[in-house]
Amino acid sequence: MKLFAGGHLVFFLPGRRSPVEVSLSSPAPLTVVLAELGIPLGEVNLAAVNGREVDVHEAVVGDEDMVNVISAVDGG
Amino acid sequence: MTIGKDVKILRVDLTKGSIEVQTLDDDFYRLYPGGKALAGYILLNELPPHTDPLSPENVLVIASGLMTGAPVSTATRYVVSARSPLTNAYGESEAGGFWGPELKQAGFEAIVVKGASPEPVYLSIKDGQVELRPADHLWGRTTHEVQEAIREELEDKKVRVLQIGIAGENMVRFAGLTNELRHFNGRNGMGAVMGSKKLRAVAVRGTLRYKEEAYDPETLSALGKKLARQVKEHPASWSLQQTGTPVLVEPLHNHGMLPTRNFRQGAFDGKDGLKWETYEEQIYTGNKSCYACAIRCKREVKVGGKPSPYGGPEFETVGAFGSDCGVSDIHAVAKANELCNAYMLDSISTGATIAFAMECFENGLIGPDDTDGIELRFGNAEAVVQMVEKIARRDGFGDLLAEGTLRAAQKIGWDAIQYAMQVKGQEMPMHEPRGKYNIGMSYAISEIGADHLVVAHDAALANEDSLSYQAAIPLGIRSAEPVLSLNEGKMHHFYVLERWGSFEKASGYCFFGPAPRSFIHPDDVLLSVNAATGWDVTIKDLLDIGERGTNMARIFNMREGFTRADDTLPERLFGGLENGKLAGMPFPRDDFQEALSNLYELKGWDRETGVPGRERLESLGMGWAADLLLAD
C-alpha cells in the first residue's frame, strides 16, 4: 500500500517524508495502519482510497491500494 | 523604556512639518496595549467621521504591539491603520519582518501621521532623533532602489525601511507598504493613504533591547528558547518551516476549496503547475525569517532565473495570480508577485481584480478596445503580468482596475457587480467560504472587508482529539463543531477566536504563532505578557483587549454609515461551485442570517442591527465608546 500524507501529516511519518510504502499481508482497517505509522487520527481531516473519499474510521485498505490522508487546512 | 510603562509615541504633522513625542498613561496602555487596540483608539477619537481617506485630514497610525520585538518566535508584528480608501471603512493591515521590533528598539510604540506634505518626504528615526527628510529623489523608484538609496544616504546598511511604492504614490486603492522588501502590509490601501500624504518611507534604527527592558527577562528568555525548540516539535510550525504557505495549493484543491477562475470553481485543473513540489523544483531557493522567529516560513525564489530581492509568493499570491486567474505557470505567478512588491500592490486584491476583469472580458462586458488590446482571458499568464504593471502605474485600463473590483464594476455597469468578489469593497482572499463556513462569517463581518486572518479556520476546532482543539480549551472552547455548520457552537468558536485574533493584532503576535492555528500554547502567550510587563493578567484580560479592538473598529464603521446589510457576502457564494469536492454546495443563506444574529448577541451587540451595546462596552471599560456612538 502506498500512503500520501498532505498538510502537516507529513510531520508524523518516518523520516518526515511522503509517500510511504506499507506492506500489508491482509486487508486492515485504515485506523490501524495510521496508528502504526504514528499519524494521530485527530489530525486527519480527509481520507481517500484510490481517489475516492472514505470515512477514516470505517475504511479497510489492502496492499494494492493508494491512500491519501490530509490534515485540517488553515489559512495564512 | 520599560515594557508597558511610560510608553512613547511619535506624532508627526506633515502639513506643519512638526514632530512631537507623547508619553502614554500606564493605565491607558494596559487597556490598549499597542497594535490594533492602540490604533483603533486613536482613529476613533481623533479622526472625524466621513473624512476623505485620501485627504490630508485622514490619520495614519503605524503601531507596534506590546510584545513586538520580544525574544520570542512570531512576536514581530505591527499594524498600519487609517480610514481605508478601498472600503471607506476602518482600515488595517499587519505585517511581520523587522521594522516593528526596530521601532520598539528606537524607543517608540507607534507613529501617528496627520496632514500632508507639499513635497515628497521620508521620516528618519534613530533612537530619540527624528527628522523629516526630502524624498523627491526617491519618488517614482522601485522599493528595492529606495531601500538602497536610504541606507546609502543615512550611511547605515542596517536601517530598517518601511515604505510605499509607486502604486501608493499613484494612490491605487489597494496599494500597500513593505519593510525589508519581503514583509507586507498589503491590505486595505494603507499605501495609498501614505502616498496621499507624500510620505514615501519611514527609516528606523534603534539600540534598545526588549529583553533588557522586560520585567522578568530571565523568564522571557527561557520561554523564547523553549518555543524555538518547539517549532520543530509541532506539526503546524514544522510544516510552515518546511514548505511555508504555498503548500496549501494541493490540499485546498483536494478539499474542493481552491478559489479558481474568480471563485466559480473549487478545483483547478492546472494545480500541478502551482503546487509546492513545482514551486520547490522550479523557483525556490531557500527560506528566511522575521525578527527572532525560529519558524522561518518566508520563501526565497528566483524570478527569470535570477534571485529576487523581494521574496517569494505566499499561498495567497499563488492563488490570486494562479488558480483564481486560471494560470498554471508558477514562473508567471512569481513575476507578478515580484512586480507587486517592487511597486507595492496588495497581491490578493491585484490578482482578484484581474480575475474579475477576466470574467467581464469573457462575458463580453469589456473587450480589447477597453483593455488596451490585451486578451484578458482566464489562463493568459502574460496578460496577468502586463496588468500588474498597468495597475501600479494607473496606465490605460489599469487606471480603472486600480480602483478595485467594486468601483470598477460600478463603472463597467451591466451586471459586472456579480463578478466582483469583494466584501465592503475589499477583494476576498484565497479561501473558499463554501468549504469553511466561519471563513464566510469572517469575510462578512470583518470591519476591514473580506479578511482571512480574523479567526483560526474551521477545521482547527472540528475534532476534539486534535492538537489545535486541545490547545484552544484554555481560551474557552467547549465543543468540537462541524466545518460545514453555522450552529450556535460555531458562533461561540467565532466569538472566542475573533477576540484571540484581535489580541494577537494588538500584541504583535503573528497568526502563525499562537494556538490554535499554530504551536504556542495560550498559557505560554500569557506567560510572555506577564514576564514582559509584570502585569499579572489572565487569559480573559487578553481576550478583553481583543474585544476592545473589534468593538472600536465596529463603532468606527457604524459612524461611517455601515449597517448589518454590509455584513454579507458576494451573491455568487450563495450558489454552488462548478466543480471539485464541494460542487453544487452553496453557502447557506438562511443559516447565515440566523448565525449573524446569534453572533451579534454573543458579542453584546444588538441582535438585529449589530450596534455594540452599552452594557458590554462598559464591562470592557470603554463606556466612552458608547457615548461616542450615542453622540453621532
Side-chain angles (χ1 to χ4, degrees):
Chain A
M1 186 205 80
K2 195 177 228 180
L3 183 136
F4 295 80
H8 66 242
L9 295 185
V10 183
F11 173 85
F12 300 102
L13 290 177
R16 295 184 175 176
R17 292 200 170 276
S18 171
V20 292
E21 299 270 2
V22 179
S23 182
L24 295 174
S25 55
S26 59
L30 181 54
T31 52
V32 172
V33 174
L34 294 176
E36 287 183 358
L37 286 170
I39 296 179
L41 278 183
E43 298 301 313
V44 178
N45 192 51
L46 191 67
V49 177
N50 302 323
R52 299 191 64 168
E53 188 178 349
V54 296
D55 183 330
V56 69
H57 297 282
E58 294 180 2
V60 174
V61 294
D63 201 44
E64 299 299 312
D65 287 332
M66 301 272 277
V67 178
N68 287 74
V69 287
I70 307 174
S71 65
V73 183
D74 213 304
Chain B
M1 184 179 86
T2 303
I3 304 302
K5 291 187 190 305
D6 298 325
V7 171
K8 291 182 171 50
I9 66 173
L10 274 175
R11 288 187 170 272
V12 180
D13 189 320
L14 292 171
T15 303
K16 297 176 184 169
S18 65
I19 298 166
E20 294 176 0
V21 177
Q22 178 189 356
T23 302
L24 302 179
D25 176 80
D26 291 352
D27 291 337
F28 166 84
Y29 186 74
R30 279 182 73 140
L31 293 174
Y32 310 97
K36 180 187 178 86
L38 180 60
Y41 185 92
I42 292 170
L43 288 186
L44 195 51
N45 284 281
E46 299 185 25
L47 180 59
H50 315 305
T51 300
D52 177 351
L54 297 176
S55 72
E57 286 72 35
N58 201 357
V59 178
L60 184 75
V61 184
I62 310 172
S64 290
L66 170 67
M67 298 304 300
T68 307
V72 174
S73 287
T74 78
T76 66
R77 310 279 283 185
Y78 63 97
V79 63
V80 182
S81 274
R83 191 181 186 208
S84 166
L86 186 64
T87 65
N88 283 330
Y90 180 84
E92 176 185 277
S93 190
E94 291 86 20
F98 296 83
W99 190 89
E102 198 75 24
L103 181 67
K104 201 97 161 187
Q105 289 167 7
F108 299 105
E109 185 83 354
I111 306 169
V112 181
V113 183
K114 297 184 178 180
S117 173
E119 302 296 335
V121 291
Y122 76 93
L123 187 66
S124 171
I125 303 168
K126 187 168 185 181
D127 288 324
Q129 294 179 309
V130 187
E131 62 174 333
L132 285 165
R133 300 174 67 103
D136 308 73
H137 59 301
L138 306 176
W139 212 248
R141 299 173 70 180
T142 67
T143 52
H144 186 210
E145 290 168 344
V146 167
Q147 179 167 287
E148 294 297 305
I150 289 177
R151 286 178 171 169
E152 191 174 326
E153 192 168 302
L154 297 178
E155 298 178 341
D156 186 350
K157 288 184 177 176
K158 292 184 177 177
V159 71
R160 305 295 186 182
V161 179
L162 173 67
Q163 60 171 315
I164 61 169
I166 66 167
E169 294 174 1
N170 292 330
M171 289 181 268
V172 174
R173 289 186 187 271
F174 44 87
L177 291 77
T178 178
N179 78 82
E180 301 298 292
L181 308 179
R182 291 171 171 81
H183 310 276
F184 312 104
N185 304 90
R187 308 242 68 194
N188 256 202
M190 296 297 99
V193 175
M194 198 157 143
S196 74
K197 295 182 178 301
K198 288 204 164 48
L199 178 62
R200 175 66 201 234
V202 183
V204 180
R205 191 82 156 92
T207 53
L208 293 168
R209 289 295 172 265
Y210 192 103
K211 193 178 87 174
E212 292 165 10
E213 307 298 327
Y215 171 80
D216 182 353
E218 288 75 25
T219 297
L220 196 61
S221 185
L223 177 64
K225 288 174 183 167
K226 182 185 92 168
L227 294 177
R229 288 193 301 273
Q230 283 184 356
V231 163
K232 291 181 184 297
E233 297 165 1
H234 191 288
S237 47
W238 176 83
S239 179
L240 282 165
Q241 184 178 70
Q242 295 300 308
T243 56
T245 56
V247 77
L248 292 173
V249 170
E250 189 158 35
L252 285 174
H253 165 89
N254 289 334
H255 279 83
M257 297 191 290
L258 181 64
T260 300
R261 298 185 178 90
N262 203 26
F263 280 84
R264 282 187 354 229
Q265 301 165 338
F268 183 39
D269 45 14
K271 60 96 179 167
D272 283 347
L274 304 175
K275 66 182 182 182
W276 168 246
E277 288 78 5
T278 306
Y279 188 120
E280 183 178 34
E281 179 190 310
Q282 299 196 15
I283 62 171
Y284 178 65
T285 58
N287 61 343
K288 282 205 170 190
S289 78
C290 294
Y291 176 85
C293 182
I295 295 182
R296 300 176 64 86
C297 71
K298 310 299 287 187
R299 305 292 97 175
E300 291 290 297
V301 298
K302 54 190 175 188
V303 178
K306 297 178 183 171
S308 174
Y310 298 105
E314 298 281 349
F315 161 71
E316 293 297 330
T317 312
V318 177
F321 290 125
S323 56
D324 204 37
C325 288
V327 168
S328 59
D329 178 355
I330 195 67
H331 296 281
V333 169
K335 183 62 185 175
N337 177 67
E338 184 174 69
L339 290 175
C340 278
N341 301 341
Y343 303 147
M344 214 36 255
L345 286 163
D346 172 27
S347 61
I348 296 176
S349 281
T350 306
T353 302
I354 294 170
F356 153 82
M358 285 175 158
E359 190 162 6
C360 288
F361 190 98
E362 291 201 346
N363 284 286
L365 277 64
I366 54 176
D369 290 346
D370 303 298
T371 61
D372 311 321
I374 295 172
E375 286 287 313
L376 264 181
R377 296 186 183 280
F378 287 113
N380 187 344
E382 189 182 344
V384 168
V385 175
Q386 285 178 296
M387 283 314 305
V388 174
E389 186 89 34
K390 292 174 83 67
I391 289 169
R393 299 185 183 281
R394 281 189 175 272
D395 173 38
F397 186 60
D399 189 40
L400 177 66
L401 297 191
E403 294 291 288
T405 53
L406 178 60
R407 288 175 178 82
Q410 288 164 344
K411 286 182 182 169
I412 290 169
W414 303 96
D415 56 355
I417 193 70
Q418 69 173 307
Y419 307 138
M421 296 295 107
Q422 53 76 35
V423 179
K424 299 185 178 80
Q426 175 158 264
E427 289 70 27
M428 295 200 305
M430 297 299 122
H431 294 275
E432 174 53 71
R434 284 166 285 194
K436 309 178 183 182
Y437 285 1
N438 263 355
I439 285 304
M441 187 57 79
S442 294
Y443 288 3
I445 203 170
S446 167
E447 60 269 12
I448 71 165
D451 181 14
H452 62 298
L453 299 176
V454 177
V455 296
H457 295 199
D458 301 56
L461 302 183
N463 187 331
E464 64 185 19
D465 294 326
S466 68
L467 294 169
S468 48
Y469 181 90
Q470 290 297 317
I473 291 172
L475 300 178
I477 295 299
R478 301 190 293 251
S479 61
E481 301 292 346
V483 169
L484 299 183
S485 170
L486 287 169
N487 66 19
E488 291 185 16
K490 283 294 284 287
M491 291 309 99
H492 183 258
H493 283 187
F494 194 102
Y495 175 55
V496 171
L497 296 174
E498 185 191 44
R499 287 183 291 157
W500 187 237
S502 178
F503 162 72
E504 289 172 1
K505 292 172 183 172
S507 63
Y509 268 113
C510 176
F511 192 68
F512 291 159
R517 169 61 180 91
S518 193
F519 75 109
I520 306 178
H521 193 277
D523 290 344
D524 282 337
V525 173
L526 181 65
L527 177 63
S528 72
V529 171
N530 284 327
T533 62
W535 284 352
D536 194 25
V537 291
T538 64
I539 283 180
K540 166 141 189 339
D541 295 324
L542 304 186
L543 292 169
D544 283 353
I545 290 167
E547 192 161 6
R548 281 183 209 105
T550 56
N551 273 288
M552 288 187 291
R554 180 73 175 185
I555 291 168
F556 183 99
N557 283 358
M558 293 275 141
R559 293 174 66 188
E560 299 294 349
F562 285 81
T563 68
R564 177 181 181 132
D566 297 295
D567 293 340
T568 189
L569 294 168
E571 188 61 26
R572 168 163 291 169
L573 299 189
F574 296 111
L577 284 156
E578 290 177 3
N579 70 1
K581 182 172 176 288
L582 301 173
M585 291 175 62
F587 192 80
R589 192 191 301 271
D590 293 340
D591 291 355
F592 170 58
Q593 288 304 327
E594 176 67 13
L596 194 59
S597 297
N598 290 340
L599 182 56
Y600 285 170
E601 196 167 318
L602 280 168
K603 288 155 80 75
W605 299 356
D606 184 273
R607 186 176 168 82
E608 299 306 318
T609 64
V611 175
R614 174 175 290 279
E615 190 178 341
R616 180 65 59 87
L617 294 175
E618 286 184 344
S619 78
L620 293 166
M622 49 185 296
W624 60 268
D627 296 339
L628 209 57
L629 201 54
L630 203 62
D632 292 318

